[in-house]
Amino acid sequence: MFRRMSIGTAAPTPQELDEVRHYFVHTLDLDQYYSAAQYEADVLKLLDEAFPAHPIQLMSGGSMMYIDAVCNGIDDIPTIRDDVRQHIRSRLENEGLDVLSQELRLLDPQYYALVDTKNTQRVVHALEVCYQTGRTYTSFRTGQRKQRPFRIVKVGLNRSRDHLFQRINERVDAMMQDGLLDEVRSLYPYRHLNSLNTVGYKELFNVLDGVWPYAKKQLTWFQRDPDIHWLNLDTLTTDEAVQHILQLLNNE
């Protein structure tokens, strides 16, 4: 979504954008605030406009929270004011994540017991809500699934662990050859922005700071969703996978 972040996010190339109509690509400036709730509203509006002419729309990507926002809805959590966000970010820079995590434990012990306290974005956002509203973040989390006026078919593409890791390594090598490190260097002055709190950029910021990077899997989130139809690309050709997907669309 954010401009100037092409290589690290594997944004569609100009050729791909010409071949197929894409939405929400390079529509935001780095310092613009955007949330999963805003994405939910924007996508639902887009679908209302698109469905009459094109009854099948494809949503693709790896941001699990944003996918859930469209498919299941998201809790009505207030948009954080700039002054509150800047205050918490400043404290994060000066005091560190562990201090903020312990403050969250005092302000919202129920959410603290659930959250990954090493996940900066979630700890910071929960504290922002506590500061702005005077209420616990937990009090806004209803967990109620919203009904959608359209049918959703979920398809997950997977491979064997060895093959998956091999492709990840090859993709990272290709991104580095395409100039990812130079892209990250050009964005380094903006690393405090929420838009750059993103896998790939965070790790290379650590490289530039002399801290060794780490890897994090994202399959766990998807594997807990029983509605996903998994296709193993180690045993299926691309054409066979497409045929499976078309059958799912016709049968559900």
Side-chain angles (χ1 to χ4, degrees):
M1 296 184 189
F2 291 96
R3 301 181 185 98
R4 302 178 61 185
M5 298 173 63
S6 297
I7 301 173
T9 62
T13 65
Q15 180 182 355
E16 290 167 336
L17 292 173
D18 286 340
E19 291 175 352
V20 179
R21 178 71 182 272
H22 290 68
Y23 299 92
F24 306 108
V25 176
H26 292 166
T27 55
L28 302 172
D29 292 325
L30 288 174
D31 59 353
Q32 280 185 260
Y33 177 76
Y34 199 73
S35 68
Q38 289 171 285
Y39 183 72
E40 175 190 8
D42 289 344
V43 171
L44 294 181
K45 181 176 183 295
L46 171 66
L47 292 178
D48 282 342
E49 299 168 353
F51 273 144
H54 304 283
I56 295 177
Q57 297 289 324
L58 175 66
M59 180 170 67
S60 131
S63 181
M64 294 79 71
M65 183 181 296
Y66 279 57
I67 292 172
D68 270 0
V70 173
C71 295
N72 304 322
I74 199 166
D75 293 324
D76 187 17
I77 296 173
T79 299
I80 304 301
R81 299 193 312 267
D82 287 342
D83 62 315
V84 175
R85 184 175 299 108
Q86 290 170 6
H87 172 69
I88 300 296
R89 290 290 171 181
S90 176
R91 290 195 54 202
L92 176 65
E93 291 286 334
N94 295 325
E95 302 174 43
L97 180 60
D98 289 342
V99 172
L100 296 188
S101 296
Q102 289 308 307
E103 183 166 3
L104 180 62
R105 181 175 65 86
L106 297 175
L107 295 177
D108 190 350
Q110 188 173 350
Y111 185 65
Y112 176 84
L114 299 173
V115 71
D116 174 5
T117 56
K118 299 302 181 184
N119 187 314
T120 303
Q121 189 166 357
R122 295 193 180 183
V123 171
V124 165
H125 185 55
L127 272 182
E128 289 172 342
V129 172
C130 293
Y131 267 67
Q132 178 163 311
T133 66
R135 291 168 49 182
T136 64
Y137 181 64
T138 300
S139 67
F140 291 94
R141 287 163 50 88
T142 66
Q144 294 179 348
R145 183 170 183 168
K146 297 178 184 177
Q147 296 299 312
R148 299 304 192 200
F150 47 83
R151 194 162 50 92
I152 300 170
V153 178
K154 297 181 181 179
V155 179
L157 305 180
N158 202 359
R159 302 177 184 273
S160 67
R161 183 176 296 268
D162 289 344
H163 196 183
L164 182 63
F165 286 174
Q166 175 189 340
R167 288 177 64 91
I168 290 173
N169 291 335
E170 291 172 352
R171 178 181 172 184
V172 171
D173 288 343
M175 293 167 78
M176 293 296 285
Q177 291 174 5
D178 288 342
L180 177 58
L181 190 57
D182 289 335
E183 180 176 273
V184 171
R185 283 196 182 100
S186 73
L187 297 172
Y188 190 87
Y190 311 99
R191 62 177 301 183
H192 63 285
L193 295 175
N194 193 54
S195 57
L196 286 162
N197 186 27
T198 303
V199 172
Y201 293 93
K202 294 186 296 184
E203 286 73 23
L204 285 179
F205 287 144
N206 285 339
V207 170
L208 295 178
D209 287 336
V211 179
W212 194 255
Y214 65 95
K216 183 176 182 180
K217 290 191 301 176
Q218 298 186 345
L219 281 174
T220 304
W221 182 296
F222 289 122
Q223 288 171 343
R224 70 187 187 189
D225 188 338
D227 295 330
I228 294 180
H229 302 272
W230 287 100
L231 302 179
N232 189 330
L233 296 185
D234 287 336
T235 58
L236 295 173
T237 66
T238 301
D239 287 342
E240 289 171 337
V242 170
Q243 289 303 314
H244 276 278
I245 294 171
L246 291 176
Q247 289 175 8
L248 289 170
L249 291 173
N250 291 327
N251 294 337
E252 288 208 359

